[in-house]
Amino acid sequence: MGGSAVVVGGGIGGLAAAIGLRAVGWEVVVAERAPVLADVGAGISLHANGMRALDALGAGEAVRAAARPQYTGGTRAPGGRWLARMDGTVLERELGTPLVGIPRADLHRALRAALPEGCLRTGAEVRSVDDSDGGRVRVLLTGDGGESATATASSTVTGTEDVLDADLVVAADGVGSRLRHRLFPDYPGPAYSGSTVLRAVTAHPVELRTDFALTWGRGAEFGHIAFRDGRAEWHAVLNAPPGVRPADPLAALRRRFADWHEPVPALLAATRPEAVLHHDIHELTVPLPAFT
Ligand SMILES: Cc1cc2nc3c(=O)[nH]c(=O)nc-3n(C[C@H](O)[C@H](O)[C@H](O)COP(=O)(O)OP(=O)(O)OC[C@H]3O[C@@H](n4cnc5c(N)ncnc54)[C@H](O)[C@@H]3O)c2cc1C
């Protein structure tokens, strides 16, 4: 029997950690600062190791049901020439599964469904973590409690503040993690990778010919992942300074990729402007110091 844990962050990582901890007997509260779990993100492709991890968590079947196996695809040049082909049947034979493509929102939903009511508390931002006691850790949350229900770590609610005492805190608060900074104050943190990514899911099915493709051009990459319902996620990764935001990103991409092979222009044509997400990509370039 485990103890009690607070997982900070209800993204893919935090939910997976919570399911795994519960499976080995821990009582878990996941604190997520977003007040509402909207259908955010575009698409994720999962390789065999990811699917094995989801199977171990008991979420594999639900994910497979919402995902599309990627049997055909590969890497191309902007004119359409194939640089490398991928055969999903070979991966399936060798590794037990081809790559699968799934909307991030569906993956998140499948993981949420594997947690009991009340385990995930939305609208709950972790403000501080105090481990000076040497034993249990004290976690201070603020927010409106969102869709929260009964907490499993011992909890004291004061107005919009809530204190949870737990044996373990899992920092799953993303690449810009505040808790990482709290644990490793000298660590430099994430650095801009030099690339910015624009992504979206198409508004309707698109004629694709292959389940996925990645096309490499000078200073730019464009990829797509086909979904079960015929729509697709696409992403355009561009070398650019951080913080640059075109006034009309979709129009800028349609110009940038106008002479790339199909289905690149078709995917952009099938996208609504408001569906486009734009993020600068940050990465951890320096290994983290060890915990122990
Ligand atoms: C362009 C691109 C493509 C990618 N494609 C793939 C792919 O195909 N397959 C794949 O497996 N991975 C892919 N990844 C990586 C993958 O998306 C990320 O690694 C993964 O989503 C990170 O999940 P996470 O839970 O660690 O963090 P996040 O998704 O960032 O979640 C962190 C959560 O913590 C919450 N939070 C933050 N601070 C607090 C706080 N103080 N209190 C409470 N909550 C807090 C945030 O609101 C957020 O919900 C891709 C990444 C990029 C950039």
Side-chain angles (χ1 to χ4, degrees), residues 114-150:
L115 288 171
E117 185 91 6
C119 178
L120 172 61
R121 298 177 58 169
T122 53
E125 177 161 14
V126 171
R127 308 296 295 195
S128 67
V129 171
D130 180 1
D131 58 354
S132 57
D133 186 16
R136 283 166 72 79
V137 191
R138 176 153 284 207
V139 180
L140 175 68
L141 310 173
T142 57
D144 60 7
E147 298 159 0
S148 72
T150 319

PDB file of all heavy atoms in Angstrom, residues 114-150:
ATOM      1  N   ALA A 114      -9.727   6.979 -16.894  1.00  0.00           N
ATOM      2  CA  ALA A 114      -9.113   5.921 -16.087  1.00  0.00           C
ATOM      3  C   ALA A 114      -8.915   6.362 -14.636  1.00  0.00           C
ATOM      4  O   ALA A 114      -8.400   5.596 -13.824  1.00  0.00           O
ATOM      5  CB  ALA A 114      -7.776   5.519 -16.703  1.00  0.00           C
ATOM      6  N   LEU A 115      -9.305   7.593 -14.330  1.00  0.00           N
ATOM      7  CA  LEU A 115      -9.177   8.090 -12.952  1.00  0.00           C
ATOM      8  C   LEU A 115     -10.563   8.202 -12.324  1.00  0.00           C
ATOM      9  O   LEU A 115     -11.533   8.536 -13.006  1.00  0.00           O
ATOM     10  CB  LEU A 115      -8.506   9.470 -12.948  1.00  0.00           C
ATOM     11  CG  LEU A 115      -7.013   9.481 -13.283  1.00  0.00           C
ATOM     12  CD1 LEU A 115      -6.523  10.912 -13.473  1.00  0.00           C
ATOM     13  CD2 LEU A 115      -6.208   8.785 -12.187  1.00  0.00           C
ATOM     14  N   PRO A 116     -10.668   7.958 -11.034  1.00  0.00           N
ATOM     15  CA  PRO A 116     -11.987   8.051 -10.410  1.00  0.00           C
ATOM     16  C   PRO A 116     -12.432   9.499 -10.257  1.00  0.00           C
ATOM     17  O   PRO A 116     -11.611  10.420 -10.249  1.00  0.00           O
ATOM     18  CB  PRO A 116     -11.766   7.410  -9.037  1.00  0.00           C
ATOM     19  CG  PRO A 116     -10.328   7.607  -8.751  1.00  0.00           C
ATOM     20  CD  PRO A 116      -9.616   7.586 -10.078  1.00  0.00           C
ATOM     21  N   GLU A 117     -13.720   9.675 -10.147  1.00  0.00           N
ATOM     22  CA  GLU A 117     -14.329  10.982  -9.896  1.00  0.00           C
ATOM     23  C   GLU A 117     -13.620  11.654  -8.720  1.00  0.00           C
ATOM     24  O   GLU A 117     -13.374  11.013  -7.698  1.00  0.00           O
ATOM     25  CB  GLU A 117     -15.801  10.732  -9.532  1.00  0.00           C
ATOM     26  CG  GLU A 117     -16.644  11.939  -9.357  1.00  0.00           C
ATOM     27  CD  GLU A 117     -17.308  12.342 -10.668  1.00  0.00           C
ATOM     28  OE1 GLU A 117     -17.188  11.601 -11.656  1.00  0.00           O
ATOM     29  OE2 GLU A 117     -17.921  13.393 -10.663  1.00  0.00           O
ATOM     30  N   GLY A 118     -13.276  12.907  -8.871  1.00  0.00           N
ATOM     31  CA  GLY A 118     -12.718  13.646  -7.740  1.00  0.00           C
ATOM     32  C   GLY A 118     -11.210  13.615  -7.649  1.00  0.00           C
ATOM     33  O   GLY A 118     -10.619  14.384  -6.894  1.00  0.00           O
ATOM     34  N   CYS A 119     -10.572  12.736  -8.413  1.00  0.00           N
ATOM     35  CA  CYS A 119      -9.106  12.638  -8.349  1.00  0.00           C
ATOM     36  C   CYS A 119      -8.458  13.850  -9.014  1.00  0.00           C
ATOM     37  O   CYS A 119      -7.452  14.367  -8.548  1.00  0.00           O
ATOM     38  CB  CYS A 119      -8.672  11.344  -9.033  1.00  0.00           C
ATOM     39  SG  CYS A 119      -6.909  11.104  -9.090  1.00  0.00           S
ATOM     40  N   LEU A 120      -9.066  14.308 -10.113  1.00  0.00           N
ATOM     41  CA  LEU A 120      -8.518  15.451 -10.852  1.00  0.00           C
ATOM     42  C   LEU A 120      -9.245  16.715 -10.424  1.00  0.00           C
ATOM     43  O   LEU A 120     -10.466  16.812 -10.546  1.00  0.00           O
ATOM     44  CB  LEU A 120      -8.703  15.219 -12.357  1.00  0.00           C
ATOM     45  CG  LEU A 120      -8.364  16.383 -13.288  1.00  0.00           C
ATOM     46  CD1 LEU A 120      -6.901  16.780 -13.173  1.00  0.00           C
ATOM     47  CD2 LEU A 120      -8.703  16.008 -14.730  1.00  0.00           C
ATOM     48  N   ARG A 121      -8.492  17.665  -9.902  1.00  0.00           N
ATOM     49  CA  ARG A 121      -9.084  18.933  -9.465  1.00  0.00           C
ATOM     50  C   ARG A 121      -8.667  20.022 -10.432  1.00  0.00           C
ATOM     51  O   ARG A 121      -7.491  20.355 -10.527  1.00  0.00           O
ATOM     52  CB  ARG A 121      -8.615  19.278  -8.054  1.00  0.00           C
ATOM     53  CG  ARG A 121      -9.042  18.232  -7.047  1.00  0.00           C
ATOM     54  CD  ARG A 121      -8.515  18.527  -5.671  1.00  0.00           C
ATOM     55  NE  ARG A 121      -8.958  19.827  -5.190  1.00  0.00           N
ATOM     56  CZ  ARG A 121      -8.818  20.231  -3.934  1.00  0.00           C
ATOM     57  NH1 ARG A 121      -8.256  19.440  -3.042  1.00  0.00           N
ATOM     58  NH2 ARG A 121      -9.233  21.410  -3.567  1.00  0.00           N
ATOM     59  N   THR A 122      -9.626  20.567 -11.169  1.00  0.00           N
ATOM     60  CA  THR A 122      -9.316  21.648 -12.099  1.00  0.00           C
ATOM     61  C   THR A 122      -9.475  22.990 -11.381  1.00  0.00           C
ATOM     62  O   THR A 122     -10.048  23.058 -10.293  1.00  0.00           O
ATOM     63  CB  THR A 122     -10.245  21.592 -13.320  1.00  0.00           C
ATOM     64  OG1 THR A 122     -11.595  21.554 -12.857  1.00  0.00           O
ATOM     65  CG2 THR A 122      -9.953  20.387 -14.173  1.00  0.00           C
ATOM     66  N   GLY A 123      -8.967  24.044 -11.982  1.00  0.00           N
ATOM     67  CA  GLY A 123      -9.020  25.360 -11.338  1.00  0.00           C
ATOM     68  C   GLY A 123      -8.206  25.378 -10.055  1.00  0.00           C
ATOM     69  O   GLY A 123      -8.479  26.158  -9.149  1.00  0.00           O
ATOM     70  N   ALA A 124      -7.217  24.510  -9.956  1.00  0.00           N
ATOM     71  CA  ALA A 124      -6.414  24.382  -8.734  1.00  0.00           C
ATOM     72  C   ALA A 124      -4.951  24.614  -9.087  1.00  0.00           C
ATOM     73  O   ALA A 124      -4.287  23.730  -9.634  1.00  0.00           O
ATOM     74  CB  ALA A 124      -6.604  22.997  -8.134  1.00  0.00           C
ATOM     75  N   GLU A 125      -4.470  25.809  -8.813  1.00  0.00           N
ATOM     76  CA  GLU A 125      -3.077  26.132  -9.142  1.00  0.00           C
ATOM     77  C   GLU A 125      -2.189  25.930  -7.924  1.00  0.00           C
ATOM     78  O   GLU A 125      -2.464  26.472  -6.852  1.00  0.00           O
ATOM     79  CB  GLU A 125      -2.973  27.582  -9.613  1.00  0.00           C
ATOM     80  CG  GLU A 125      -1.527  27.963  -9.897  1.00  0.00           C
ATOM     81  CD  GLU A 125      -1.382  29.192 -10.773  1.00  0.00           C
ATOM     82  OE1 GLU A 125      -2.378  29.906 -10.953  1.00  0.00           O
ATOM     83  OE2 GLU A 125      -0.263  29.408 -11.263  1.00  0.00           O
ATOM     84  N   VAL A 126      -1.142  25.165  -8.093  1.00  0.00           N
ATOM     85  CA  VAL A 126      -0.194  24.964  -6.991  1.00  0.00           C
ATOM     86  C   VAL A 126       0.700  26.192  -6.903  1.00  0.00           C
ATOM     87  O   VAL A 126       1.366  26.561  -7.872  1.00  0.00           O
ATOM     88  CB  VAL A 126       0.636  23.680  -7.203  1.00  0.00           C
ATOM     89  CG1 VAL A 126       1.761  23.591  -6.179  1.00  0.00           C
ATOM     90  CG2 VAL A 126      -0.274  22.466  -7.105  1.00  0.00           C
ATOM     91  N   ARG A 127       0.672  26.846  -5.754  1.00  0.00           N
ATOM     92  CA  ARG A 127       1.450  28.075  -5.563  1.00  0.00           C
ATOM     93  C   ARG A 127       2.782  27.793  -4.894  1.00  0.00           C
ATOM     94  O   ARG A 127       3.756  28.481  -5.133  1.00  0.00           O
ATOM     95  CB  ARG A 127       0.664  29.082  -4.697  1.00  0.00           C
ATOM     96  CG  ARG A 127      -0.732  29.356  -5.182  1.00  0.00           C
ATOM     97  CD  ARG A 127      -0.760  30.008  -6.526  1.00  0.00           C
ATOM     98  NE  ARG A 127      -0.168  31.330  -6.504  1.00  0.00           N
ATOM     99  CZ  ARG A 127      -0.313  32.235  -7.455  1.00  0.00           C
ATOM    100  NH1 ARG A 127      -1.012  31.941  -8.525  1.00  0.00           N
ATOM    101  NH2 ARG A 127       0.247  33.412  -7.364  1.00  0.00           N
ATOM    102  N   SER A 128       2.795  26.824  -3.991  1.00  0.00           N
ATOM    103  CA  SER A 128       4.062  26.531  -3.319  1.00  0.00           C
ATOM    104  C   SER A 128       4.056  25.100  -2.803  1.00  0.00           C
ATOM    105  O   SER A 128       2.993  24.494  -2.611  1.00  0.00           O
ATOM    106  CB  SER A 128       4.295  27.505  -2.157  1.00  0.00           C
ATOM    107  OG  SER A 128       3.340  27.284  -1.146  1.00  0.00           O
ATOM    108  N   VAL A 129       5.256  24.595  -2.613  1.00  0.00           N
ATOM    109  CA  VAL A 129       5.442  23.250  -2.071  1.00  0.00           C
ATOM    110  C   VAL A 129       6.473  23.376  -0.958  1.00  0.00           C
ATOM    111  O   VAL A 129       7.544  23.945  -1.160  1.00  0.00           O
ATOM    112  CB  VAL A 129       5.949  22.294  -3.172  1.00  0.00           C
ATOM    113  CG1 VAL A 129       6.352  20.962  -2.578  1.00  0.00           C
ATOM    114  CG2 VAL A 129       4.888  22.097  -4.237  1.00  0.00           C
ATOM    115  N   ASP A 130       6.135  22.870   0.214  1.00  0.00           N
ATOM    116  CA  ASP A 130       7.031  23.005   1.363  1.00  0.00           C
ATOM    117  C   ASP A 130       7.416  21.611   1.851  1.00  0.00           C
ATOM    118  O   ASP A 130       6.574  20.869   2.353  1.00  0.00           O
ATOM    119  CB  ASP A 130       6.301  23.791   2.464  1.00  0.00           C
ATOM    120  CG  ASP A 130       7.174  23.976   3.702  1.00  0.00           C
ATOM    121  OD1 ASP A 130       8.335  23.509   3.685  1.00  0.00           O
ATOM    122  OD2 ASP A 130       6.684  24.566   4.681  1.00  0.00           O
ATOM    123  N   ASP A 131       8.702  21.281   1.682  1.00  0.00           N
ATOM    124  CA  ASP A 131       9.156  19.968   2.143  1.00  0.00           C
ATOM    125  C   ASP A 131      10.128  20.113   3.309  1.00  0.00           C
ATOM    126  O   ASP A 131      10.907  19.212   3.594  1.00  0.00           O
ATOM    127  CB  ASP A 131       9.789  19.175   0.992  1.00  0.00           C
ATOM    128  CG  ASP A 131      10.967  19.911   0.361  1.00  0.00           C
ATOM    129  OD1 ASP A 131      11.221  21.067   0.738  1.00  0.00           O
ATOM    130  OD2 ASP A 131      11.624  19.315  -0.513  1.00  0.00           O
ATOM    131  N   SER A 132      10.066  21.262   4.002  1.00  0.00           N
ATOM    132  CA  SER A 132      11.041  21.511   5.069  1.00  0.00           C
ATOM    133  C   SER A 132      10.795  20.626   6.281  1.00  0.00           C
ATOM    134  O   SER A 132      11.658  20.483   7.144  1.00  0.00           O
ATOM    135  CB  SER A 132      11.004  22.984   5.482  1.00  0.00           C
ATOM    136  OG  SER A 132       9.700  23.328   5.888  1.00  0.00           O
ATOM    137  N   ASP A 133       9.610  20.011   6.329  1.00  0.00           N
ATOM    138  CA  ASP A 133       9.251  19.136   7.441  1.00  0.00           C
ATOM    139  C   ASP A 133      10.117  17.871   7.467  1.00  0.00           C
ATOM    140  O   ASP A 133      10.265  17.217   8.488  1.00  0.00           O
ATOM    141  CB  ASP A 133       7.763  18.775   7.266  1.00  0.00           C
ATOM    142  CG  ASP A 133       7.224  17.994   8.430  1.00  0.00           C
ATOM    143  OD1 ASP A 133       7.896  17.999   9.462  1.00  0.00           O
ATOM    144  OD2 ASP A 133       6.158  17.375   8.293  1.00  0.00           O
ATOM    145  N   GLY A 134      10.678  17.524   6.294  1.00  0.00           N
ATOM    146  CA  GLY A 134      11.511  16.329   6.225  1.00  0.00           C
ATOM    147  C   GLY A 134      10.709  15.070   5.981  1.00  0.00           C
ATOM    148  O   GLY A 134      11.217  14.094   5.457  1.00  0.00           O
ATOM    149  N   GLY A 135       9.447  15.068   6.300  1.00  0.00           N
ATOM    150  CA  GLY A 135       8.606  13.896   6.090  1.00  0.00           C
ATOM    151  C   GLY A 135       7.578  14.191   5.029  1.00  0.00           C
ATOM    152  O   GLY A 135       7.840  14.078   3.842  1.00  0.00           O
ATOM    153  N   ARG A 136       6.401  14.641   5.460  1.00  0.00           N
ATOM    154  CA  ARG A 136       5.354  14.940   4.487  1.00  0.00           C
ATOM    155  C   ARG A 136       5.591  16.284   3.802  1.00  0.00           C
ATOM    156  O   ARG A 136       6.301  17.138   4.322  1.00  0.00           O
ATOM    157  CB  ARG A 136       3.992  14.899   5.183  1.00  0.00           C
ATOM    158  CG  ARG A 136       3.566  13.439   5.402  1.00  0.00           C
ATOM    159  CD  ARG A 136       2.444  13.302   6.346  1.00  0.00           C
ATOM    160  NE  ARG A 136       1.154  13.737   5.835  1.00  0.00           N
ATOM    161  CZ  ARG A 136       0.378  13.043   5.018  1.00  0.00           C
ATOM    162  NH1 ARG A 136       0.791  11.886   4.529  1.00  0.00           N
ATOM    163  NH2 ARG A 136      -0.802  13.490   4.670  1.00  0.00           N
ATOM    164  N   VAL A 137       4.984  16.428   2.648  1.00  0.00           N
ATOM    165  CA  VAL A 137       5.135  17.652   1.869  1.00  0.00           C
ATOM    166  C   VAL A 137       3.823  18.420   1.943  1.00  0.00           C
ATOM    167  O   VAL A 137       2.747  17.831   1.861  1.00  0.00           O
ATOM    168  CB  VAL A 137       5.457  17.325   0.388  1.00  0.00           C
ATOM    169  CG1 VAL A 137       5.880  18.577  -0.353  1.00  0.00           C
ATOM    170  CG2 VAL A 137       6.530  16.261   0.294  1.00  0.00           C
ATOM    171  N   ARG A 138       3.929  19.725   2.099  1.00  0.00           N
ATOM    172  CA  ARG A 138       2.731  20.570   2.183  1.00  0.00           C
ATOM    173  C   ARG A 138       2.590  21.339   0.876  1.00  0.00           C
ATOM    174  O   ARG A 138       3.516  22.032   0.445  1.00  0.00           O
ATOM    175  CB  ARG A 138       2.881  21.512   3.375  1.00  0.00           C
ATOM    176  CG  ARG A 138       1.760  22.499   3.512  1.00  0.00           C
ATOM    177  CD  ARG A 138       1.598  22.924   4.947  1.00  0.00           C
ATOM    178  NE  ARG A 138       0.936  21.873   5.722  1.00  0.00           N
ATOM    179  CZ  ARG A 138       0.214  22.107   6.811  1.00  0.00           C
ATOM    180  NH1 ARG A 138       0.075  23.328   7.265  1.00  0.00           N
ATOM    181  NH2 ARG A 138      -0.362  21.124   7.463  1.00  0.00           N
ATOM    182  N   VAL A 139       1.422  21.221   0.253  1.00  0.00           N
ATOM    183  CA  VAL A 139       1.183  21.841  -1.054  1.00  0.00           C
ATOM    184  C   VAL A 139       0.097  22.892  -0.898  1.00  0.00           C
ATOM    185  O   VAL A 139      -0.991  22.588  -0.397  1.00  0.00           O
ATOM    186  CB  VAL A 139       0.729  20.775  -2.082  1.00  0.00           C
ATOM    187  CG1 VAL A 139       0.482  21.409  -3.448  1.00  0.00           C
ATOM    188  CG2 VAL A 139       1.755  19.659  -2.193  1.00  0.00           C
ATOM    189  N   LEU A 140       0.394  24.123  -1.323  1.00  0.00           N
ATOM    190  CA  LEU A 140      -0.607  25.193  -1.257  1.00  0.00           C
ATOM    191  C   LEU A 140      -1.218  25.393  -2.636  1.00  0.00           C
ATOM    192  O   LEU A 140      -0.511  25.651  -3.614  1.00  0.00           O
ATOM    193  CB  LEU A 140       0.048  26.495  -0.788  1.00  0.00           C
ATOM    194  CG  LEU A 140      -0.874  27.724  -0.802  1.00  0.00           C
ATOM    195  CD1 LEU A 140      -1.965  27.602   0.258  1.00  0.00           C
ATOM    196  CD2 LEU A 140      -0.071  28.999  -0.590  1.00  0.00           C
ATOM    197  N   LEU A 141      -2.544  25.271  -2.695  1.00  0.00           N
ATOM    198  CA  LEU A 141      -3.273  25.474  -3.953  1.00  0.00           C
ATOM    199  C   LEU A 141      -4.100  26.734  -3.843  1.00  0.00           C
ATOM    200  O   LEU A 141      -4.597  27.047  -2.764  1.00  0.00           O
ATOM    201  CB  LEU A 141      -4.277  24.345  -4.200  1.00  0.00           C
ATOM    202  CG  LEU A 141      -3.859  22.899  -4.101  1.00  0.00           C
ATOM    203  CD1 LEU A 141      -5.093  22.021  -4.211  1.00  0.00           C
ATOM    204  CD2 LEU A 141      -2.918  22.587  -5.226  1.00  0.00           C
ATOM    205  N   THR A 142      -4.279  27.417  -4.965  1.00  0.00           N
ATOM    206  CA  THR A 142      -5.271  28.492  -4.993  1.00  0.00           C
ATOM    207  C   THR A 142      -6.151  28.296  -6.206  1.00  0.00           C
ATOM    208  O   THR A 142      -5.798  27.573  -7.131  1.00  0.00           O
ATOM    209  CB  THR A 142      -4.626  29.891  -5.102  1.00  0.00           C
ATOM    210  OG1 THR A 142      -3.813  29.910  -6.264  1.00  0.00           O
ATOM    211  CG2 THR A 142      -3.816  30.226  -3.883  1.00  0.00           C
ATOM    212  N   GLY A 143      -7.289  28.962  -6.206  1.00  0.00           N
ATOM    213  CA  GLY A 143      -8.199  28.870  -7.341  1.00  0.00           C
ATOM    214  C   GLY A 143      -9.596  28.607  -6.857  1.00  0.00           C
ATOM    215  O   GLY A 143      -9.860  28.525  -5.662  1.00  0.00           O
ATOM    216  N   ASP A 144     -10.484  28.461  -7.846  1.00  0.00           N
ATOM    217  CA  ASP A 144     -11.893  28.300  -7.480  1.00  0.00           C
ATOM    218  C   ASP A 144     -12.273  26.856  -7.241  1.00  0.00           C
ATOM    219  O   ASP A 144     -13.415  26.543  -6.963  1.00  0.00           O
ATOM    220  CB  ASP A 144     -12.783  28.884  -8.580  1.00  0.00           C
ATOM    221  CG  ASP A 144     -12.555  28.193  -9.911  1.00  0.00           C
ATOM    222  OD1 ASP A 144     -11.820  27.186  -9.936  1.00  0.00           O
ATOM    223  OD2 ASP A 144     -13.113  28.656 -10.912  1.00  0.00           O
ATOM    224  N   GLY A 145     -11.300  25.960  -7.366  1.00  0.00           N
ATOM    225  CA  GLY A 145     -11.627  24.553  -7.161  1.00  0.00           C
ATOM    226  C   GLY A 145     -12.234  23.918  -8.392  1.00  0.00           C
ATOM    227  O   GLY A 145     -12.333  22.709  -8.476  1.00  0.00           O
ATOM    228  N   GLY A 146     -12.619  24.743  -9.380  1.00  0.00           N
ATOM    229  CA  GLY A 146     -13.120  24.226 -10.657  1.00  0.00           C
ATOM    230  C   GLY A 146     -14.084  23.083 -10.487  1.00  0.00           C
ATOM    231  O   GLY A 146     -15.069  23.186  -9.761  1.00  0.00           O
ATOM    232  N   GLU A 147     -13.767  21.955 -11.149  1.00  0.00           N
ATOM    233  CA  GLU A 147     -14.653  20.795 -11.094  1.00  0.00           C
ATOM    234  C   GLU A 147     -14.224  19.841  -9.991  1.00  0.00           C
ATOM    235  O   GLU A 147     -14.431  18.646 -10.066  1.00  0.00           O
ATOM    236  CB  GLU A 147     -14.608  20.066 -12.441  1.00  0.00           C
ATOM    237  CG  GLU A 147     -15.086  20.923 -13.598  1.00  0.00           C
ATOM    238  CD  GLU A 147     -14.575  20.420 -14.937  1.00  0.00           C
ATOM    239  OE1 GLU A 147     -13.856  19.411 -14.975  1.00  0.00           O
ATOM    240  OE2 GLU A 147     -14.897  21.051 -15.941  1.00  0.00           O
ATOM    241  N   SER A 148     -13.570  20.365  -8.933  1.00  0.00           N
ATOM    242  CA  SER A 148     -12.984  19.482  -7.932  1.00  0.00           C
ATOM    243  C   SER A 148     -14.041  18.726  -7.138  1.00  0.00           C
ATOM    244  O   SER A 148     -15.185  19.118  -7.039  1.00  0.00           O
ATOM    245  CB  SER A 148     -12.129  20.279  -6.963  1.00  0.00           C
ATOM    246  OG  SER A 148     -12.954  21.047  -6.138  1.00  0.00           O
ATOM    247  N   ALA A 149     -13.623  17.644  -6.585  1.00  0.00           N
ATOM    248  CA  ALA A 149     -14.483  16.913  -5.659  1.00  0.00           C
ATOM    249  C   ALA A 149     -13.610  16.503  -4.485  1.00  0.00           C
ATOM    250  O   ALA A 149     -12.608  17.139  -4.197  1.00  0.00           O
ATOM    251  CB  ALA A 149     -15.094  15.712  -6.353  1.00  0.00           C
ATOM    252  N   THR A 150     -13.947  15.440  -3.811  1.00  0.00           N
ATOM    253  CA  THR A 150     -13.237  15.057  -2.601  1.00  0.00           C
ATOM    254  C   THR A 150     -11.757  14.787  -2.863  1.00  0.00           C
ATOM    255  O   THR A 150     -11.400  14.044  -3.763  1.00  0.00           O
ATOM    256  CB  THR A 150     -13.844  13.758  -2.059  1.00  0.00           C
ATOM    257  OG1 THR A 150     -15.242  13.855  -2.204  1.00  0.00           O
ATOM    258  CG2 THR A 150     -13.469  13.551  -0.622  1.00  0.00           C
TER     259      THR A 150
END
